[in-house]
Tab-separated table of all heavy atoms in Angstrom:
chain	number	residue	atom	x	y	z
A	106	LEU	N	47.659	45.989	5.132
A	106	LEU	CA	47.057	45.013	6.022
A	106	LEU	C	46.891	45.666	7.390
A	106	LEU	O	47.872	46.053	8.026
A	106	LEU	CB	47.937	43.767	6.127
A	106	LEU	CG	48.307	43.097	4.790
A	106	LEU	CD1	49.217	41.894	5.032
A	106	LEU	CD2	47.058	42.690	4.015
A	107	SER	N	45.649	45.786	7.827
A	107	SER	CA	45.348	46.490	9.068
A	107	SER	C	45.146	45.508	10.208
A	107	SER	O	44.400	44.532	10.081
A	107	SER	CB	44.087	47.345	8.909
A	107	SER	OG	43.665	47.850	10.154
A	108	ILE	N	45.805	45.811	11.338
A	108	ILE	CA	45.631	44.975	12.514
A	108	ILE	C	44.209	45.087	13.059
A	108	ILE	O	43.735	44.213	13.783
A	108	ILE	CB	46.667	45.360	13.595
A	108	ILE	CG1	46.791	44.222	14.623
A	108	ILE	CG2	46.316	46.699	14.251
A	108	ILE	CD1	47.974	44.376	15.556
A	109	ASP	N	43.500	46.144	12.671
A	109	ASP	CA	42.112	46.304	13.092
A	109	ASP	C	41.168	45.384	12.319
A	109	ASP	O	40.039	45.152	12.751
A	109	ASP	CB	41.659	47.750	12.888
A	109	ASP	CG	42.416	48.724	13.778
A	109	ASP	OD1	43.147	48.269	14.669
A	109	ASP	OD2	42.289	49.949	13.570
A	110	HIS	N	41.638	44.878	11.176
A	110	HIS	CA	40.805	43.997	10.348
A	110	HIS	C	41.632	42.819	9.837
A	110	HIS	O	41.818	42.656	8.628
A	110	HIS	CB	40.201	44.777	9.181
A	110	HIS	CG	39.301	45.891	9.605
A	110	HIS	ND1	38.026	45.668	10.083
A	110	HIS	CD2	39.503	47.236	9.663
A	110	HIS	CE1	37.469	46.831	10.397
A	110	HIS	NE2	38.339	47.791	10.158
A	111	PRO	N	42.124	41.993	10.728
A	111	PRO	CA	42.947	40.856	10.286
A	111	PRO	C	42.184	39.882	9.407
A	111	PRO	O	42.782	39.138	8.634
A	111	PRO	CB	43.379	40.210	11.612
A	111	PRO	CG	42.344	40.645	12.609
A	111	PRO	CD	41.944	42.022	12.193
A	112	GLU	N	40.859	39.909	9.506
A	112	GLU	CA	40.050	39.006	8.686
A	112	GLU	C	40.138	39.348	7.195
A	112	GLU	O	39.764	38.533	6.338
A	112	GLU	CB	38.592	39.041	9.143
A	112	GLU	CG	37.829	40.342	8.840
A	112	GLU	CD	38.090	41.462	9.827
A	112	GLU	OE1	38.922	41.274	10.747
A	112	GLU	OE2	37.451	42.526	9.697
A	113	ASP	N	40.639	40.545	6.876
A	113	ASP	CA	40.745	40.967	5.479
A	113	ASP	C	42.078	40.585	4.836
A	113	ASP	O	42.291	40.868	3.648
A	113	ASP	CB	40.588	42.495	5.366
A	113	ASP	CG	39.193	42.972	5.699
A	113	ASP	OD1	38.267	42.129	5.703
A	113	ASP	OD2	39.022	44.180	5.962
A	114	MET	N	42.964	39.965	5.577
A	114	MET	CA	44.331	39.773	5.085
A	114	MET	C	44.383	38.946	3.800
A	114	MET	O	44.965	39.365	2.793
A	114	MET	CB	45.201	39.121	6.157
A	114	MET	CG	46.672	39.032	5.761
A	114	MET	SD	47.715	38.336	7.070
A	114	MET	CE	47.627	39.593	8.343
A	115	ARG	N	43.772	37.791	3.793
A	115	ARG	CA	43.827	36.938	2.606
A	115	ARG	C	43.139	37.612	1.425
A	115	ARG	O	43.666	37.606	0.304
A	115	ARG	CB	43.193	35.572	2.899
A	115	ARG	CG	43.205	34.611	1.698
A	115	ARG	CD	42.706	33.228	2.108
A	115	ARG	NE	43.689	32.542	2.925
A	115	ARG	CZ	44.621	31.712	2.437
A	115	ARG	NH1	44.680	31.466	1.144
A	115	ARG	NH2	45.460	31.122	3.245
A	116	ALA	N	42.007	38.215	1.670
A	116	ALA	CA	41.288	38.892	0.587
A	116	ALA	C	42.103	40.047	0.009
A	116	ALA	O	42.054	40.314	-1.199
A	116	ALA	CB	39.937	39.399	1.091
A	117	SER	N	42.866	40.719	0.858
A	117	SER	CA	43.691	41.828	0.394
A	117	SER	C	44.735	41.340	-0.611
A	117	SER	O	44.966	41.966	-1.649
A	117	SER	CB	44.383	42.494	1.578
A	117	SER	OG	43.439	43.027	2.483
A	118	PHE	N	45.362	40.223	-0.310
A	118	PHE	CA	46.322	39.656	-1.247
A	118	PHE	C	45.638	39.155	-2.519
A	118	PHE	O	46.151	39.315	-3.631
A	118	PHE	CB	47.087	38.501	-0.597
A	118	PHE	CG	48.221	38.926	0.287
A	118	PHE	CD1	48.238	38.587	1.628
A	118	PHE	CD2	49.284	39.653	-0.226
A	118	PHE	CE1	49.289	38.969	2.452
A	118	PHE	CE2	50.348	40.044	0.587
A	118	PHE	CZ	50.350	39.695	1.919
A	119	GLU	N	44.486	38.552	-2.356
A	119	GLU	CA	43.803	37.953	-3.504
A	119	GLU	C	43.333	38.979	-4.519
A	119	GLU	O	43.121	38.655	-5.687
A	119	GLU	CB	42.639	37.091	-3.017
A	119	GLU	CG	43.120	35.804	-2.323
A	119	GLU	CD	41.985	35.002	-1.711
A	119	GLU	OE1	40.883	35.593	-1.512
A	119	GLU	OE2	42.179	33.810	-1.411
A	120	THR	N	43.187	40.246	-4.105
A	120	THR	CA	42.807	41.284	-5.074
A	120	THR	C	43.870	41.481	-6.146
A	120	THR	O	43.590	42.031	-7.211
A	120	THR	CB	42.577	42.634	-4.369
A	120	THR	OG1	43.791	43.070	-3.754
A	120	THR	CG2	41.479	42.540	-3.334
A	121	LEU	N	45.093	41.025	-5.885
A	121	LEU	CA	46.176	41.175	-6.859
A	121	LEU	C	46.039	40.207	-8.025
A	121	LEU	O	46.641	40.427	-9.081
A	121	LEU	CB	47.532	40.957	-6.174
A	121	LEU	CG	47.872	41.912	-5.019
A	121	LEU	CD1	49.156	41.458	-4.333
A	121	LEU	CD2	48.001	43.336	-5.524
A	122	GLY	N	45.295	39.143	-7.816
A	122	GLY	CA	45.110	38.168	-8.889
A	122	GLY	C	46.351	37.361	-9.209
A	122	GLY	O	46.510	36.868	-10.327
A	123	LEU	N	47.235	37.204	-8.229
A	123	LEU	CA	48.481	36.470	-8.441
A	123	LEU	C	48.370	35.075	-7.855
A	123	LEU	O	47.872	34.893	-6.737
A	123	LEU	CB	49.650	37.214	-7.796
A	123	LEU	CG	49.957	38.602	-8.384
A	123	LEU	CD1	50.969	39.337	-7.510
A	123	LEU	CD2	50.478	38.473	-9.814
A	124	GLY	N	48.859	34.085	-8.601
A	124	GLY	CA	48.793	32.709	-8.157
A	124	GLY	C	50.013	32.293	-7.362
A	124	GLY	O	50.954	33.065	-7.173
A	125	PRO	N	50.047	31.057	-6.895
A	125	PRO	CA	51.134	30.585	-6.030
A	125	PRO	C	52.508	30.589	-6.689
A	125	PRO	O	53.523	30.639	-5.992
A	125	PRO	CB	50.689	29.161	-5.650
A	125	PRO	CG	49.682	28.775	-6.684
A	125	PRO	CD	49.001	30.033	-7.092
A	126	ASP	N	52.553	30.522	-8.008
A	126	ASP	CA	53.835	30.514	-8.713
A	126	ASP	C	54.177	31.866	-9.330
A	126	ASP	O	55.124	31.962	-10.118
A	126	ASP	CB	53.815	29.450	-9.820
A	126	ASP	CG	53.631	28.045	-9.265
A	126	ASP	OD1	54.187	27.760	-8.191
A	126	ASP	OD2	52.927	27.240	-9.914
A	127	ASP	N	53.435	32.907	-8.959
A	127	ASP	CA	53.599	34.207	-9.610
A	127	ASP	C	54.411	35.215	-8.812
A	127	ASP	O	54.617	36.340	-9.281
A	127	ASP	CB	52.217	34.824	-9.894
A	127	ASP	CG	51.417	34.030	-10.900
A	127	ASP	OD1	52.029	33.285	-11.697
A	127	ASP	OD2	50.171	34.144	-10.883
A	128	VAL	N	54.874	34.863	-7.618
A	128	VAL	CA	55.535	35.844	-6.749
A	128	VAL	C	56.875	35.298	-6.270
A	128	VAL	O	56.956	34.194	-5.725
A	128	VAL	CB	54.653	36.199	-5.536
A	128	VAL	CG1	55.358	37.212	-4.629
A	128	VAL	CG2	53.312	36.754	-6.000
A	129	ASP	N	57.926	36.089	-6.471
A	129	ASP	CA	59.269	35.726	-6.027
A	129	ASP	C	59.680	36.429	-4.740
A	129	ASP	O	60.535	35.924	-4.011
A	129	ASP	CB	60.304	36.087	-7.105
A	129	ASP	CG	60.137	35.273	-8.371
A	129	ASP	OD1	59.767	34.095	-8.276
A	129	ASP	OD2	60.381	35.827	-9.465
A	130	LEU	N	59.097	37.598	-4.470
A	130	LEU	CA	59.610	38.425	-3.384
A	130	LEU	C	58.511	39.315	-2.822
A	130	LEU	O	57.762	39.940	-3.573
A	130	LEU	CB	60.758	39.296	-3.913
A	130	LEU	CG	61.352	40.352	-2.990
A	130	LEU	CD1	62.005	39.711	-1.775
A	130	LEU	CD2	62.364	41.191	-3.757
A	131	ILE	N	58.418	39.374	-1.496
A	131	ILE	CA	57.511	40.298	-0.807
A	131	ILE	C	58.336	41.078	0.212
A	131	ILE	O	59.036	40.483	1.040
A	131	ILE	CB	56.375	39.561	-0.085
A	131	ILE	CG1	55.581	38.677	-1.052
A	131	ILE	CG2	55.437	40.562	0.592
A	131	ILE	CD1	54.522	37.815	-0.379
A	132	VAL	N	58.290	42.400	0.146
A	132	VAL	CA	58.929	43.232	1.164
A	132	VAL	C	57.837	43.803	2.054
A	132	VAL	O	56.892	44.427	1.573
A	132	VAL	CB	59.757	44.367	0.534
A	132	VAL	CG1	60.305	45.285	1.634
A	132	VAL	CG2	60.914	43.801	-0.286
A	133	VAL	N	57.966	43.592	3.362
A	133	VAL	CA	56.964	44.037	4.316
A	133	VAL	C	57.614	44.920	5.368
A	133	VAL	O	58.768	44.706	5.764
A	133	VAL	CB	56.271	42.833	4.997
A	133	VAL	CG1	57.268	42.013	5.801
A	133	VAL	CG2	55.122	43.284	5.893
A	134	SER	N	56.886	45.943	5.820
A	134	SER	CA	57.351	46.797	6.898
A	134	SER	C	56.178	47.223	7.765
A	134	SER	O	55.076	47.441	7.265
A	134	SER	CB	58.043	48.050	6.336
A	134	SER	OG	58.490	48.892	7.392
A	135	ASP	N	56.432	47.340	9.065
A	135	ASP	CA	55.434	47.965	9.936
A	135	ASP	C	55.865	49.394	10.261
A	135	ASP	O	55.209	50.078	11.046
A	135	ASP	CB	55.184	47.141	11.197
A	135	ASP	CG	56.337	47.198	12.203
A	135	ASP	OD1	57.396	47.765	11.878
A	135	ASP	OD2	56.178	46.662	13.317
A	136	ALA	N	56.978	49.833	9.659
A	136	ALA	CA	57.428	51.236	9.669
A	136	ALA	C	57.675	51.787	11.066
A	136	ALA	O	57.505	52.971	11.306
A	136	ALA	CB	56.432	52.122	8.917
A	137	GLN	N	58.106	50.931	11.975
A	137	GLN	CA	58.362	51.413	13.340
A	137	GLN	C	59.700	52.134	13.442
A	137	GLN	O	59.868	53.042	14.248
A	137	GLN	CB	58.331	50.256	14.337
A	137	GLN	CG	58.472	50.734	15.788
A	137	GLN	CD	58.309	49.623	16.796
A	137	GLN	OE1	58.199	48.458	16.448
A	137	GLN	NE2	58.278	49.971	18.075
A	138	GLU	N	60.646	51.743	12.609
A	138	GLU	CA	61.992	52.323	12.716
A	138	GLU	C	62.516	52.615	11.314
A	138	GLU	O	63.371	51.917	10.788
A	138	GLU	CB	62.923	51.345	13.454
A	138	GLU	CG	64.218	51.973	13.937
A	138	GLU	CD	64.013	53.080	14.946
A	138	GLU	OE1	63.171	52.920	15.853
A	138	GLU	OE2	64.686	54.116	14.805
A	139	ILE	N	61.989	53.671	10.706
A	139	ILE	CA	62.312	54.010	9.325
A	139	ILE	C	63.642	54.757	9.240
A	139	ILE	O	63.767	55.888	9.700
A	139	ILE	CB	61.203	54.894	8.699
A	139	ILE	CG1	59.897	54.118	8.580
A	139	ILE	CG2	61.631	55.433	7.353
A	139	ILE	CD1	59.860	53.082	7.507
A	140	LEU	N	64.670	54.135	8.701
A	140	LEU	CA	65.905	54.806	8.295
A	140	LEU	C	66.432	55.809	9.310
A	140	LEU	O	66.920	56.884	8.962
A	140	LEU	CB	65.673	55.540	6.959
A	140	LEU	CG	65.287	54.685	5.762
A	140	LEU	CD1	64.943	55.568	4.586
A	140	LEU	CD2	66.406	53.728	5.402
A	141	GLY	N	66.316	55.520	10.580
A	141	GLY	CA	66.812	56.441	11.582
A	141	GLY	C	65.894	57.609	11.886
A	141	GLY	O	66.203	58.442	12.738
A	142	ILE	N	64.720	57.699	11.200
A	142	ILE	CA	63.795	58.805	11.476
A	142	ILE	C	62.616	58.343	12.321
A	142	ILE	O	61.722	59.127	12.630
A	142	ILE	CB	63.304	59.486	10.181
A	142	ILE	CG1	62.500	58.505	9.303
A	142	ILE	CG2	64.460	60.074	9.408
A	142	ILE	CD1	61.840	59.168	8.093
A	143	GLY	N	62.592	57.058	12.677
A	143	GLY	CA	61.615	56.592	13.642
A	143	GLY	C	60.328	56.042	13.072
A	143	GLY	O	60.280	55.530	11.956
A	144	ASP	N	59.272	56.180	13.843
A	144	ASP	CA	57.962	55.575	13.589
A	144	ASP	C	57.136	56.475	12.672
A	144	ASP	O	56.759	57.583	13.049
A	144	ASP	CB	57.274	55.383	14.944
A	144	ASP	CG	55.873	54.808	14.842
A	144	ASP	OD1	55.385	54.595	13.714
A	144	ASP	OD2	55.255	54.576	15.902
A	145	TRP	N	56.800	55.943	11.471
A	145	TRP	CA	55.990	56.734	10.538
A	145	TRP	C	54.766	55.993	10.041
A	145	TRP	O	54.174	56.352	9.030
A	145	TRP	CB	56.867	57.239	9.379
A	145	TRP	CG	57.696	58.389	9.863
A	145	TRP	CD1	58.928	58.324	10.445
A	145	TRP	CD2	57.304	59.757	9.921
A	145	TRP	NE1	59.336	59.572	10.842
A	145	TRP	CE2	58.362	60.470	10.529
A	145	TRP	CE3	56.174	60.455	9.509
A	145	TRP	CZ2	58.308	61.849	10.742
A	145	TRP	CZ3	56.126	61.824	9.723
A	145	TRP	CH2	57.183	62.509	10.334
A	146	GLY	N	54.358	54.959	10.771
A	146	GLY	CA	53.081	54.311	10.503
A	146	GLY	C	52.865	53.980	9.037
A	146	GLY	O	53.765	53.518	8.337
A	147	VAL	N	51.648	54.238	8.567
A	147	VAL	CA	51.305	53.894	7.191
A	147	VAL	C	52.094	54.734	6.188
A	147	VAL	O	52.264	54.341	5.038
A	147	VAL	CB	49.780	54.032	6.984
A	147	VAL	CG1	49.381	55.489	6.787
A	147	VAL	CG2	49.303	53.187	5.807
A	148	ASN	N	52.599	55.890	6.610
A	148	ASN	CA	53.444	56.687	5.726
A	148	ASN	C	54.652	55.905	5.244
A	148	ASN	O	55.189	56.168	4.173
A	148	ASN	CB	53.945	57.948	6.453
A	148	ASN	CG	52.912	59.050	6.515
A	148	ASN	OD1	51.711	58.779	6.511
A	148	ASN	ND2	53.360	60.287	6.583
A	149	GLY	N	55.071	54.935	6.051
A	149	GLY	CA	56.271	54.173	5.707
A	149	GLY	C	56.071	53.125	4.647
A	149	GLY	O	57.009	52.367	4.348
A	150	SER	N	54.897	53.058	4.037
A	150	SER	CA	54.661	52.018	3.022
A	150	SER	C	55.620	52.134	1.848
A	150	SER	O	55.991	51.132	1.230
A	150	SER	CB	53.215	52.073	2.523
A	150	SER	OG	52.943	53.316	1.905
A	151	ASP	N	56.059	53.356	1.551
A	151	ASP	CA	56.956	53.519	0.407
A	151	ASP	C	58.343	52.947	0.662
A	151	ASP	O	59.131	52.815	-0.278
A	151	ASP	CB	57.065	54.998	0.028
A	151	ASP	CG	55.987	55.420	-0.956
A	151	ASP	OD1	55.100	54.596	-1.246
A	151	ASP	OD2	56.024	56.568	-1.446
A	152	ILE	N	58.664	52.609	1.905
A	152	ILE	CA	59.951	51.990	2.171
A	152	ILE	C	60.006	50.615	1.519
A	152	ILE	O	61.044	50.193	0.992
A	152	ILE	CB	60.233	51.903	3.692
A	152	ILE	CG1	61.740	51.874	3.936
A	152	ILE	CG2	59.590	50.710	4.346
A	152	ILE	CD1	62.447	53.170	3.659
A	153	ALA	N	58.889	49.903	1.525
A	153	ALA	CA	58.844	48.595	0.867
A	153	ALA	C	58.876	48.750	-0.643
A	153	ALA	O	59.536	47.982	-1.355
A	153	ALA	CB	57.590	47.834	1.297
């Protein structure tokens, strides 16, 4: 989810094809403070 294109947020989720009863857990990170190694931007996606 890009802050440069917030209008894409809902569509980004909808590409998964998951309904309201299909998800138990979402882990989100903006990767500013990764495990003591600091800011790693989009590289930090694997932390989630």
Side-chain angles (χ1 to χ4, degrees):
L106 306 178
S107 170
I108 198 168
D109 295 350
H110 298 285
E112 70 279 3
D113 292 343
M114 186 177 293
R115 180 174 288 267
S117 298
F118 279 120
E119 289 174 342
T120 62
L121 300 173
L123 296 170
D126 298 323
D127 295 337
V128 179
D129 294 325
L130 174 64
I131 303 175
V132 175
V133 63
S134 180
D135 73 353
Q137 185 174 6
E138 195 62 43
I139 294 287
L140 299 173
I142 63 173
D144 178 357
W145 284 89
V147 79
N148 281 28
S150 62
D151 272 6
I152 206 71

